[in-house]
Amino acid sequence: MADLPSPDRAAILAVLDRVSDPKSGLGLASAGLVQALTLGPGRAGFMLEVEPADADLYAPVRDAAEAALRAAPGIERASVVLTASAEPRPAPGTVRVRRGARLSSEAQAQMQPAGRPPGAQKPAHVAHVLAVASGKGGVGKSTVAVNLAVALAMTGRCVGLLDADVYGPSAPRMTGAGDEPTMNADKKLIPLEAWGLKIMSIGLLVDEAAPMIWRGPMASSALNQMLNDVAWGDEAEPLDVLVVDMPPGTGDIQLTLAQRVALSGAVVVSTPQEVALIDVRRGVSMFEKTHVPILGIVENMAYFPNPAGGEPIAIFGRGGARATAEALGAPFLGEIPIDIALRQACDDGRPLVAQAPDSEAGRAFLAMAETVGEALDRGAGLKPPPRIVIED
Ligand code: ADP
């Protein structure tokens, strides 16, 4: 497939225009329904974003568009992702209220923690969703997310990794899991498996190399789909933790995710220098506003072990993240050194913590997994908002 040329954009849009939009009667491209079109050698894919109420109407359209793409010259793989963000359903738990009585302020507070919409939910059969976030890009957030997920799996937990970094998905590269996901009988995507993890990435659904411009709602409905339309676990084998590699920053996409998903907690990754720490404070404050507990702050690229055997070299300074954690009253989860083997392991798709658990970085990830795992077991996190039962 690699020697096939990338298809011509105009030709693909013309193919998609021959599939009609049931609402407007126009072709899909003319109706503006072809979003985030990505083209690569022998492959084409796009997002079909519709209103939640229209999801059923457009399911056959998605199939027709995929079939049309597959029939187009030079296309061997086609993927059309139907994104329709479902209205959040209220989570279990009950508040009993007498008919005609006013809700006590206590009951009201229980029903909706401030800053978080009712019904922030977890995917089915997932005990905890853990966000790995950073105030800015390039600080090693994905490196920490992947190695922390593997380390949590090494502690015997059933772990999933959702790479939600729409700006630069890296889980496929960092874990070597690059196959196209398939669907099960319930039309749920089956996550890929590698390093003891169940893995799903936005990079498996769209072209990793293609630059993407995401509108906020489109990105959040794609994320919603990856949370809820993926078979993360089932009754027989539920997931203990789903680690979500968040997009960097504190914009709309991150805020939506923090509000919509019942996150048990967040781990914030930073490098030691002040410019990065300013963004950490912003990140911590976003999670605080949405009532997501900060399980800790990690200092990545904290030091470079001195090859001559002396004092470690503090290339970006040292201790800034620890001091910030203390100032913010958040746990400090440890320091990850600058390690060429860690960078190499990421590029080779072989997470370092599995390859070299005794290395300094490997031990730091395992210790981090221990602390985070215990915090999750202790039940750090939000209680789901209760259901209201009216009693006569
Ligand atoms: P982010 O997700 O914050 O954008 P990444 O995890 O993709 O950052 O890391 C950016 C680059 O830095 C990658 O090439 C990664 O391998 C490398 N890297 C991250 N942490 C370290 C480290 N502690 N030592 C060496 N290289 C690192």
Side-chain angles (χ1 to χ4, degrees):
M1 195 194 297
D3 44 9
L4 280 173
S6 287
D8 177 61
R9 197 178 170 84
I12 291 296
L13 288 173
V15 164
L16 291 171
D17 245 352
R18 291 201 283 275
V19 179
S20 86
D21 166 24
K23 283 195 122 176
S24 66
L26 298 170
L28 290 186
S30 307
L33 286 171
V34 178
Q35 302 280 348
L37 177 64
T38 54
L39 303 171
R43 57 186 271 188
F46 72 96
M47 297 261 177
L48 179 63
E49 196 199 2
V50 301
E51 296 291 318
D54 294 336
D56 289 346
L57 178 66
Y58 280 86
V61 178
R62 187 245 335 261
D63 297 345
E66 229 170 48
L69 286 177
R70 235 177 259 122
I75 300 289
E76 290 188 350
R77 277 169 59 187
S79 70
V80 179
V81 179
L82 178 63
T83 66
S85 32
E87 282 305 310
R89 264 174 278 121
T94 307
V95 168
R96 294 180 186 278
V97 194
R98 289 185 72 85
R99 189 178 299 284
R102 287 178 59 128
L103 277 185
S104 68
S105 52
E106 198 186 329
Q108 285 183 26
Q110 243 189 311
M111 280 166 51
Q112 185 174 348
R116 176 166 279 238
Q121 57 178 325
K122 279 182 298 196
H125 308 296
V126 174
H128 291 290
V129 185
L130 173 71
V132 177
S134 67
K136 60 193 293 195
V139 298
K141 169 185 53 62
S142 299
T143 304
V144 170
V146 167
N147 282 278
L148 175 60
V150 174
L152 281 164
M154 287 164 78
T155 64
R157 291 176 169 85
C158 212
V159 183
L161 173 66
L162 167 53
D163 174 14
D165 189 347
V166 290
Y167 302 117
S170 41
R173 179 172 48 83
M174 289 189 179
T175 61
D179 291 344
E180 201 171 354
T182 51
M183 288 210 181
N184 68 12
D186 297 334
K187 292 229 162 199
K188 293 223 168 198
L189 287 167
I190 303 172
L192 303 181
E193 299 210 7
W195 308 102
L197 305 178
K198 295 190 173 177
I199 301 168
M200 182 53 64
S201 166
I202 194 93
L204 298 169
L205 303 177
V206 297
D207 196 339
E208 192 187 354
M212 300 220 30
I213 302 166
W214 290 89
R215 284 189 295 113
M218 193 168 97
S220 51
S221 60
L223 296 183
N224 208 37
Q225 192 182 37
M226 288 198 302
L227 281 159
N228 298 312
D229 294 350
V230 171
W232 288 113
D234 53 31
E235 250 157 60
E237 201 187 324
L239 217 57
D240 297 313
V241 193
L242 178 61
V243 176
V244 182
D245 183 1
M246 298 268 283
T250 49
D252 280 355
I253 298 176
Q254 295 81 352
L255 190 64
T256 309
L257 196 75
Q259 286 176 326
R260 283 268 191 89
V261 183
L263 294 168
S264 291
V267 167
V268 181
V269 182
S270 179
T271 48
Q273 64 281 48
E274 185 52 33
V275 280
L277 295 167
I278 294 168
D279 293 307
V280 169
R281 288 180 206 117
R282 214 170 282 147
V284 167
S285 131
M286 177 184 80
F287 286 117
E288 276 174 356
K289 276 195 202 115
T290 48
H291 295 258
V292 175
I294 303 292
L295 297 189
I297 295 177
V298 180
E299 183 161 300
N300 187 31
M301 309 192 196
Y303 60 93
F304 184 65
N306 193 327
E311 279 293 296
I313 305 164
I315 292 182
F316 299 122
R318 191 170 179 185
R322 184 192 290 271
T324 304
E326 272 165 24
L328 295 171
F332 182 65
L333 288 176
E335 299 180 322
I336 315 287
I338 297 174
D339 181 351
I340 295 170
L342 177 55
R343 201 267 309 141
Q344 187 70 52
C346 289
D347 286 349
D348 293 347
R350 309 172 71 78
L352 183 98
V353 69
Q355 296 298 304
D358 273 340
S359 60
E360 275 181 55
R363 275 185 279 133
F365 287 124
L366 286 168
M368 196 186 300
E370 203 73 38
T371 313
V372 169
E374 274 169 20
L376 293 174
D377 293 345
R378 273 201 315 273
L382 287 169
K383 290 197 184 79
R387 198 160 54 88
I388 306 164
V389 172
I390 311 281
E391 292 178 330
D392 286 320

